[in-house]
Amino acid sequence: MTRRNPSSRLTAAAADGGKAGQIKAAQSVARTAAQEVRILGGQWKRTPLPVPVSAGLRPTPSRVRETLFNWLGQDLSGWRVLDAFAGSGALGLEAASRGAAEVCLIERDPQLARSLQTVVTRLKAAQVQVQQADALSWMRQPARAQTFDLVFLDPPFDDDMFVDALRAAMPCVVEQGWIYLEAPRAMGDQPELLAELGLRLHRHGQAGMVHFHLFQRVAVAAA
């Protein structure tokens, strides 16, 4: 019979504990999520967006979106934007409201994708496209290379795909473009990972259990 190394057991226990902590964090955030959010600025300012009841769906809070668009600048005229885990569409539609020329909303869940399309139709948002797809697979397609000026990443907290999402999104962004990431932990204290990806942490904030980051794509040496 093979004997397991005690350190292996400790490592496995730590991993299980970390996963349990992430699930608990996701459940806590989802329980307090609003059932409606409003666009904060631009042509659709104050327009309500429904938040369908869905496991783990937690739209980015208004104060976080306000901070993010203060970082980015209020006017995104001409920008090409990807909202990779769209959910309620709050991030992507906020960008469209502030002048983005092209916005792509990716949502895997069929019900949420239909809800997004209903909102886009109601707003007559011709610059916004909704696609039902797996975000990671979609971003990894070679045709997406250097397509966007800004990518929003708000993946499910309990799937622990934050690093995978960054890896998939980075090639999609033009040089000097931006990636926004929400996660249950700070991701900026991993310099080796950021250097490998060619990303530089521009800003970081925290609201409750959510850490939000704005990264810029730079040359690997600069990162």
Side-chain angles (χ1 to χ4, degrees):
M1 182 173 66
T2 303
R3 297 178 62 87
R4 294 186 63 189
N5 188 316
S7 62
S8 298
R9 291 196 297 270
L10 290 174
T11 301
D16 291 343
K19 181 68 173 179
Q22 290 170 8
I23 293 174
K24 184 177 180 181
Q27 292 172 340
S28 176
V29 172
R31 280 197 300 269
T32 59
Q35 295 306 302
E36 180 182 274
V37 295
R38 290 181 180 271
I39 294 176
L40 301 176
Q43 64 175 319
W44 301 318
K45 185 176 181 180
R46 299 189 182 91
T47 298
L49 302 176
V51 181
V53 177
S54 178
L57 183 60
R58 36 166 202 86
T60 301
S62 296
R63 60 175 173 153
V64 174
R65 281 186 288 130
E66 182 177 9
T67 298
L68 169 62
F69 284 93
N70 284 336
W71 292 346
L72 291 169
Q74 302 297 322
D75 184 1
L76 302 189
S77 294
W79 288 38
R80 297 162 297 170
V81 178
L82 171 64
D83 191 348
F85 302 86
S88 68
L91 290 170
L93 292 171
E94 186 78 48
S97 181
R98 295 170 185 261
E102 300 176 20
V103 177
C104 184
L105 306 179
I106 304 296
E107 176 51 54
R108 181 176 58 183
D109 184 278
Q111 177 185 352
L112 295 179
R114 287 193 296 269
S115 176
L116 286 171
Q117 187 58 63
T118 298
V119 172
V120 169
T121 301
R122 172 167 57 88
L123 293 175
K124 299 180 181 180
Q127 74 274 47
V128 181
Q129 295 183 347
V130 178
Q131 295 200 30
Q132 183 192 338
D134 176 80
L136 295 183
S137 298
W138 193 92
M139 289 189 290
R140 287 168 178 157
Q141 296 179 29
R144 315 303 178 198
Q146 298 197 38
T147 303
F148 299 101
D149 302 292
L150 170 64
V151 175
F152 295 121
L153 300 175
D154 184 10
F157 267 31
D158 54 352
D159 285 353
D160 196 22
M161 62 174 66
F162 309 102
V163 173
D164 288 342
L166 280 175
R167 290 186 188 279
M170 191 280 294
C172 298
V173 181
V174 298
E175 190 168 340
Q176 304 302 315
W178 304 95
I179 297 177
Y180 170 77
L181 173 71
E182 292 186 22
R185 61 182 183 273
M187 303 291 289
D189 55 355
Q190 303 182 47
E192 296 85 0
L193 173 65
L194 298 185
E196 173 194 342
L197 295 177
L199 295 175
R200 177 171 57 204
L201 179 64
H202 179 68
R203 293 288 181 89
H204 167 259
Q206 183 176 0
M209 304 184 77
V210 177
H211 290 263
F212 52 102
H213 316 71
L214 185 60
F215 298 99
Q216 186 172 31
R217 180 178 179 180
V218 295
V220 173

